[in-house]
Amino acid sequence: MIKIAASILAADFLNLGADVERMRQAGADYLHCDVMDGRFVPNISFGQPIVKAVAATGMPLDVHLMIEDPDKYIDEFARLGARIITVHQEATKHLNRTLHHIRELGCLAGVSICPATPPETLGWSLGDFDVALIMSVNPGFGGQKIVPSAVKKIAVLRDMLEKAGVAAEIEVDGNVALDTAQEIVNNGARLLVTGSALFKAPDAGAFIRTLKGMEAGA
Ligand code: DX5
Ligand code: ZN
């Protein structure tokens, strides 16, 4: 089953509550929260206060930490109610330890890789995560164009997981839109993050239904 994570980076921050409600009614499964530190990525977004505010809506949170030293903040985001906490492979010194810590806190453990990072880098961690987040753009900004080679890595990772008999979810983040999502789904992703395309869609509910219906064509 395809699940949709609405990326609040694309929301109207002056009307965040209304936008979250719009996403809930449209059928989003998660709110995707992009936490950026201006160090791991060249942009700063938001942190704990916004995550706390959207947690109060009761929507499941998918927290994407695009930060250096993510270990410093994992406990706090777990306490705020994150369902999924994702760290970047490139920013995490002891990935196995960090992922197990996220699980111990009662959250689903996610690991993300940037477009230039090979999926094989996760080869010795296959049992350690619940979600693998493949970035289909370079992290840091919404509204970018897809990196086509990153989409190919989805199938590589799916094969690695299948061979190992591991049932982790593949999530894709960056320029997921009506014209890009089918290939992403065909390659094996089942959790789709969408920001600009979803929030700008004239009918967010129809947009989400179309994306969810793409599994049939996979
Ligand atoms: C990019 C973020 C994404 C972003 C996606 O660094 O991780 O979650 O919000 O936005 P769109 O869908 O606009 O590419
Ligand atoms: Zn993200």
Side-chain angles (χ1 to χ4, degrees), residues 81-104:
R83 174 82 54 90
I84 306 172
I85 297 182
T86 296
V87 297
H88 267 264
Q89 184 273 341
E90 302 88 351
T92 309
K93 287 203 181 97
H94 306 289
L95 187 61
N96 174 283
R97 176 188 289 154
T98 300
L99 293 171
H100 282 262
H101 183 59
I102 294 172
R103 282 179 170 171
E104 277 162 19

Tab-separated table of all heavy atoms in Angstrom, residues 81-104:
chain	number	residue	atom	x	y	z
A	81	GLY	N	6.952	13.149	19.958
A	81	GLY	CA	5.932	12.280	19.390
A	81	GLY	C	6.181	11.809	17.975
A	81	GLY	O	5.247	11.359	17.308
A	82	ALA	N	7.430	11.881	17.498
A	82	ALA	CA	7.714	11.412	16.130
A	82	ALA	C	7.397	9.925	15.997
A	82	ALA	O	7.694	9.145	16.906
A	82	ALA	CB	9.175	11.657	15.792
A	83	ARG	N	6.782	9.547	14.878
A	83	ARG	CA	6.556	8.118	14.595
A	83	ARG	C	7.793	7.532	13.900
A	83	ARG	O	8.274	6.465	14.255
A	83	ARG	CB	5.315	7.984	13.687
A	83	ARG	CG	5.005	6.598	13.173
A	83	ARG	CD	4.256	5.717	14.159
A	83	ARG	NE	3.049	6.288	14.661
A	83	ARG	CZ	1.824	6.155	14.118
A	83	ARG	NH1	1.674	5.445	13.012
A	83	ARG	NH2	0.771	6.704	14.669
A	84	ILE	N	8.288	8.265	12.885
A	84	ILE	CA	9.521	7.871	12.190
A	84	ILE	C	10.571	8.945	12.475
A	84	ILE	O	10.273	10.141	12.377
A	84	ILE	CB	9.324	7.802	10.657
A	84	ILE	CG1	8.160	6.890	10.265
A	84	ILE	CG2	10.614	7.350	9.959
A	84	ILE	CD1	7.803	6.942	8.768
A	85	ILE	N	11.779	8.522	12.822
A	85	ILE	CA	12.907	9.468	12.902
A	85	ILE	C	13.973	8.985	11.921
A	85	ILE	O	14.446	7.842	12.010
A	85	ILE	CB	13.502	9.565	14.316
A	85	ILE	CG1	12.446	10.101	15.298
A	85	ILE	CG2	14.740	10.465	14.315
A	85	ILE	CD1	12.943	10.284	16.726
A	86	THR	N	14.314	9.872	10.988
A	86	THR	CA	15.283	9.513	9.947
A	86	THR	C	16.535	10.371	10.081
A	86	THR	O	16.445	11.605	10.143
A	86	THR	CB	14.647	9.702	8.552
A	86	THR	OG1	13.555	8.787	8.428
A	86	THR	CG2	15.654	9.436	7.448
A	87	VAL	N	17.665	9.693	10.093
A	87	VAL	CA	18.956	10.389	10.105
A	87	VAL	C	19.630	10.148	8.752
A	87	VAL	O	19.271	9.214	8.025
A	87	VAL	CB	19.879	9.863	11.236
A	87	VAL	CG1	19.267	10.145	12.596
A	87	VAL	CG2	20.179	8.360	11.073
A	88	HIS	N	20.605	10.983	8.436
A	88	HIS	CA	21.347	10.768	7.193
A	88	HIS	C	22.553	9.874	7.438
A	88	HIS	O	23.305	10.079	8.390
A	88	HIS	CB	21.778	12.110	6.577
A	88	HIS	CG	20.780	12.591	5.583
A	88	HIS	ND1	20.914	12.352	4.233
A	88	HIS	CD2	19.613	13.239	5.752
A	88	HIS	CE1	19.861	12.849	3.601
A	88	HIS	NE2	19.059	13.393	4.503
A	89	GLN	N	22.720	8.912	6.560
A	89	GLN	CA	23.900	8.049	6.628
A	89	GLN	C	25.171	8.899	6.610
A	89	GLN	O	26.124	8.619	7.325
A	89	GLN	CB	23.861	7.071	5.435
A	89	GLN	CG	24.976	6.038	5.399
A	89	GLN	CD	26.221	6.562	4.694
A	89	GLN	OE1	26.174	7.521	3.937
A	89	GLN	NE2	27.336	5.911	4.959
A	90	GLU	N	25.122	10.000	5.824
A	90	GLU	CA	26.332	10.819	5.649
A	90	GLU	C	26.649	11.654	6.890
A	90	GLU	O	27.745	12.210	6.995
A	90	GLU	CB	26.140	11.758	4.446
A	90	GLU	CG	25.827	11.069	3.114
A	90	GLU	CD	24.339	10.844	2.889
A	90	GLU	OE1	23.536	11.049	3.821
A	90	GLU	OE2	23.966	10.455	1.769
A	91	ALA	N	25.691	11.781	7.796
A	91	ALA	CA	25.875	12.658	8.963
A	91	ALA	C	25.983	11.876	10.266
A	91	ALA	O	26.074	12.469	11.339
A	91	ALA	CB	24.704	13.637	9.067
A	92	THR	N	25.966	10.540	10.153
A	92	THR	CA	25.884	9.713	11.364
A	92	THR	C	27.143	8.862	11.495
A	92	THR	O	27.431	8.044	10.613
A	92	THR	CB	24.626	8.822	11.303
A	92	THR	OG1	23.507	9.653	10.999
A	92	THR	CG2	24.369	8.128	12.617
A	93	LYS	N	27.861	9.050	12.572
A	93	LYS	CA	29.161	8.366	12.728
A	93	LYS	C	28.991	6.875	12.995
A	93	LYS	O	29.702	6.052	12.461
A	93	LYS	CB	29.945	8.989	13.880
A	93	LYS	CG	30.507	10.354	13.544
A	93	LYS	CD	31.703	10.669	14.441
A	93	LYS	CE	32.262	12.041	14.143
A	93	LYS	NZ	31.758	13.080	15.050
A	94	HIS	N	28.021	6.523	13.849
A	94	HIS	CA	27.848	5.111	14.232
A	94	HIS	C	26.400	4.734	13.939
A	94	HIS	O	25.554	4.685	14.833
A	94	HIS	CB	28.192	4.917	15.709
A	94	HIS	CG	29.550	5.441	16.044
A	94	HIS	ND1	30.705	4.841	15.621
A	94	HIS	CD2	29.935	6.546	16.722
A	94	HIS	CE1	31.755	5.540	16.027
A	94	HIS	NE2	31.301	6.579	16.694
A	95	LEU	N	26.165	4.493	12.657
A	95	LEU	CA	24.792	4.346	12.171
A	95	LEU	C	24.034	3.241	12.904
A	95	LEU	O	22.883	3.431	13.302
A	95	LEU	CB	24.831	4.072	10.655
A	95	LEU	CG	23.484	4.043	9.940
A	95	LEU	CD1	22.757	5.373	10.060
A	95	LEU	CD2	23.673	3.678	8.465
A	96	ASN	N	24.660	2.107	13.068
A	96	ASN	CA	24.013	0.974	13.721
A	96	ASN	C	23.540	1.362	15.127
A	96	ASN	O	22.391	1.119	15.515
A	96	ASN	CB	25.025	-0.188	13.760
A	96	ASN	CG	24.523	-1.360	14.546
A	96	ASN	OD1	24.542	-1.324	15.764
A	96	ASN	ND2	24.053	-2.375	13.856
A	97	ARG	N	24.404	2.033	15.868
A	97	ARG	CA	24.060	2.439	17.236
A	97	ARG	C	22.886	3.437	17.229
A	97	ARG	O	21.948	3.325	18.015
A	97	ARG	CB	25.282	3.076	17.895
A	97	ARG	CG	25.009	3.613	19.282
A	97	ARG	CD	26.195	4.407	19.799
A	97	ARG	NE	27.337	3.561	20.122
A	97	ARG	CZ	28.607	3.988	20.098
A	97	ARG	NH1	28.878	5.217	19.760
A	97	ARG	NH2	29.585	3.169	20.416
A	98	THR	N	22.953	4.394	16.318
A	98	THR	CA	21.912	5.433	16.256
A	98	THR	C	20.558	4.826	15.899
A	98	THR	O	19.540	5.140	16.521
A	98	THR	CB	22.315	6.506	15.222
A	98	THR	OG1	23.561	7.070	15.649
A	98	THR	CG2	21.270	7.587	15.099
A	99	LEU	N	20.554	3.935	14.904
A	99	LEU	CA	19.275	3.339	14.480
A	99	LEU	C	18.673	2.495	15.601
A	99	LEU	O	17.456	2.522	15.845
A	99	LEU	CB	19.485	2.503	13.213
A	99	LEU	CG	19.866	3.314	11.962
A	99	LEU	CD1	20.275	2.389	10.816
A	99	LEU	CD2	18.708	4.219	11.518
A	100	HIS	N	19.526	1.765	16.307
A	100	HIS	CA	19.002	0.953	17.413
A	100	HIS	C	18.471	1.833	18.542
A	100	HIS	O	17.474	1.511	19.174
A	100	HIS	CB	20.069	-0.029	17.906
A	100	HIS	CG	20.188	-1.200	16.987
A	100	HIS	ND1	19.575	-2.398	17.224
A	100	HIS	CD2	20.782	-1.321	15.777
A	100	HIS	CE1	19.795	-3.224	16.214
A	100	HIS	NE2	20.541	-2.599	15.317
A	101	HIS	N	19.122	2.963	18.736
A	101	HIS	CA	18.647	3.892	19.774
A	101	HIS	C	17.254	4.432	19.402
A	101	HIS	O	16.368	4.531	20.255
A	101	HIS	CB	19.651	5.033	19.952
A	101	HIS	CG	19.283	5.978	21.041
A	101	HIS	ND1	19.113	5.575	22.350
A	101	HIS	CD2	19.011	7.305	21.028
A	101	HIS	CE1	18.770	6.614	23.094
A	101	HIS	NE2	18.690	7.678	22.313
A	102	ILE	N	17.061	4.753	18.134
A	102	ILE	CA	15.744	5.258	17.690
A	102	ILE	C	14.672	4.197	17.972
A	102	ILE	O	13.585	4.499	18.476
A	102	ILE	CB	15.771	5.638	16.190
A	102	ILE	CG1	16.711	6.824	15.957
A	102	ILE	CG2	14.363	5.954	15.681
A	102	ILE	CD1	16.968	7.152	14.484
A	103	ARG	N	15.001	2.946	17.687
A	103	ARG	CA	14.025	1.871	17.960
A	103	ARG	C	13.754	1.724	19.461
A	103	ARG	O	12.606	1.518	19.863
A	103	ARG	CB	14.535	0.546	17.385
A	103	ARG	CG	14.345	0.439	15.879
A	103	ARG	CD	14.887	-0.878	15.377
A	103	ARG	NE	14.540	-1.144	13.984
A	103	ARG	CZ	15.041	-2.146	13.287
A	103	ARG	NH1	15.918	-2.976	13.833
A	103	ARG	NH2	14.677	-2.329	12.037
A	104	GLU	N	14.790	1.837	20.241
A	104	GLU	CA	14.614	1.723	21.705
A	104	GLU	C	13.669	2.788	22.241
A	104	GLU	O	12.994	2.596	23.246
A	104	GLU	CB	15.965	1.871	22.416
A	104	GLU	CG	16.780	0.584	22.457
A	104	GLU	CD	18.250	0.859	22.762
A	104	GLU	OE1	18.563	1.953	23.281
A	104	GLU	OE2	19.072	-0.024	22.456
